Amino acid sequence: MPTYAYRCPSGDDFELVRPMAEAADPASCPDCGEAARRVFGGPALRRLDPSLRRALDAGEQSADSPPVVTSVPGRSRRATPVTRDPRHARLPRP
Ligand SMILES: [Zn+2]
């Protein structure tokens, strides 16, 4: 269910999660109990989890200006270590 923002005549702001059919219905303020009207604001993008926000930003940036490889990657990866233990030669091979 979506979250809607409301403001009572005393100026208290609060949010309610309610069905879309009840979005325009007045809501009673949790502080003063008066009937509050719905207020409209921007999308709640800032309420996203910070890690999800970073992932979405990175996705947008990579779509607009993807990182470009300018040279062949070097052999920075360490080679597989070779054992010198003679008992390892008797082990079954894949
Ligand atoms: Zn109030």
Side-chain angles (χ1 to χ4, degrees):
M1 279 189 285
T3 304
Y4 299 101
Y6 296 87
R7 178 172 295 154
C8 77
S10 307
D12 300 321
D13 292 329
F14 61 97
E15 294 178 339
L16 285 180
V17 178
R18 54 184 0 189
M20 291 174 76
E22 301 174 11
D25 296 350
S28 61
C29 174
D31 294 330
C32 62
E34 293 186 63
R37 294 186 55 164
R38 185 176 169 203
V39 290
F40 296 90
L45 299 176
R46 288 293 147 206
R47 290 196 203 107
L48 286 176
D49 182 36
S51 57
L52 176 59
R53 159 69 36 206
R54 278 194 297 275
L56 290 172
D57 287 345
E60 282 181 25
Q61 183 177 4
S62 124
D64 291 340
S65 55
V68 177
V69 176
T70 56
S71 64
V72 177
R75 294 190 136 272
S76 59
R77 290 180 57 191
R78 195 174 57 187
T80 307
V82 178
T83 179
R84 303 204 187 288
D85 191 327
R87 292 173 297 176
H88 291 169
R90 289 180 292 184
L91 290 173
R93 300 286 170 192

